[in-house]
């Protein structure tokens, strides 16, 4: 079965703490740019590299659903409870079993590509999905020289030039703390 005949699903995971219009803009952009069928926002209970979240899981899922409700091609999922894990490899393995006729595109920022080799079973992730790297201010050059890029040797990795987003969950949390 060729990629053209498969359902193309973008996987955009994170704690979304909180979700913002930048997440929505990038999801809408990547849907069109790569001609994806859907983008799944996979809300994690907690980022494995951070100690705690600012907003509760329930608040984050609700905010994600409110933010994406006008686009039927963006679907918000919380799978941690069902899978007992928020690890990307476990989510992809689950989706591979439940969405057999699908091809997966893991959407990450260039900042995340730099530390991607620290993710659990990152080599398997690159076999299950294409890695779609979105541009993040200050990270792109370092990302293009990362260990993952050398490992993949231009296979299964797509660098996307997107409009730089001047908002982040960190900026929003810092503003709310004041």
């Amino acid at each position: 079965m060729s990629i053209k005949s498969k359902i193309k699903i973008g996987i955009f995971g994170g704690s979304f703490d909180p979700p913002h219009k930048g997440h929505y803009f990038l999801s809408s952009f990547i849907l069109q740019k790569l001609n994806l069928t859907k983008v799944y926002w996979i809300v994690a209970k907690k980022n494995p590299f951070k100690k705690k979240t600012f907003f509760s899981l329930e608040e984050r899922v609700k905010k994600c659903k409110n933010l994406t409700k006008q686009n039927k091609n963006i679907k918000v999922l919380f799978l941690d409870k069902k899978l007992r894990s928020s690890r990307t490899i476990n989510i992809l393995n689950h989706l591979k079993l439940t969405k057999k006729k699908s091809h997966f595109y893991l959407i990450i920022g260039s900042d995340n590509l730099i530390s991607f080799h620290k993710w659990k079973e990152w080599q398997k992730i690159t076999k299950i999905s294409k890695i779609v790297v979105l541009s993040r201010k200050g990270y792109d050059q370092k990302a293009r020289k990362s260990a993952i890029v050398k490992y993949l040797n231009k296979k299964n990795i797509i660098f996307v030039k997107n409009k730089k987003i001047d908002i982040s969950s960190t900026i929003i949390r810092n503003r709310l703390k004041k």
Side-chain angles (χ1 to χ4, degrees), residues 11 13 42 48 79-80 83 85-97 104 106 116 118-129 131:
I11 307 298
I42 310 291
L79 298 172
D80 289 18
L83 303 179
S85 171
S86 62
R87 300 286 186 180
T88 302
I89 187 62
N90 297 332
I91 290 163
L92 284 168
N93 281 332
H94 169 74
L95 291 173
K96 195 171 76 167
L97 290 172
F104 300 105
L106 181 64
F116 190 78
K118 296 178 182 177
W119 292 24
K120 184 178 177 164
E121 299 186 58
W122 63 269
Q123 288 113 331
K124 287 185 182 177
I125 292 170
T126 65
K127 289 176 178 36
I128 296 170
S129 67
I131 309 301

Side-chain angles (χ1 to χ4, degrees), residues 101-153:
K101 295 185 181 193
S102 298
H103 193 77
F104 300 105
Y105 295 76
L106 181 64
I107 304 163
I108 63 173
S110 58
D111 56 328
N112 282 311
L113 186 66
I114 295 165
S115 59
F116 190 78
H117 63 283
K118 296 178 182 177
W119 292 24
K120 184 178 177 164
E121 299 186 58
W122 63 269
Q123 288 113 331
K124 287 185 182 177
I125 292 170
T126 65
K127 289 176 178 36
I128 296 170
S129 67
K130 286 193 180 289
I131 309 301
V132 178
V133 184
L134 297 172
S135 182
R136 293 277 317 253
K137 187 177 180 180
Y139 294 98
D140 294 355
Q141 226 173 7
K142 194 172 179 182
R144 287 185 179 273
K145 294 177 182 176
S146 69
I148 304 307
V149 172
K150 290 172 187 156
Y151 172 81
L152 291 174
N153 194 22

Side-chain angles (χ1 to χ4, degrees), residues 68-84:
T68 61
K69 66 184 173 194
Q70 69 267 27
N71 190 329
K72 63 180 174 40
N73 295 321
I74 300 174
K75 184 175 181 177
V76 176
L77 299 173
F78 172 68
L79 298 172
D80 289 18
K81 197 172 190 177
K82 182 176 188 172
L83 303 179
R84 295 191 172 134

Side-chain angles (χ1 to χ4, degrees), residues 13-39:
S15 54
F16 295 95
D17 190 26
H20 52 75
K21 289 181 180 179
H23 291 127
Y24 180 79
F25 168 80
L26 291 169
S27 297
S28 300
F29 172 76
I30 212 73
L31 268 163
Q32 289 184 321
K33 180 84 174 169
L34 298 181
N35 196 27
L36 300 178
T37 311
K38 292 233 182 252
V39 169

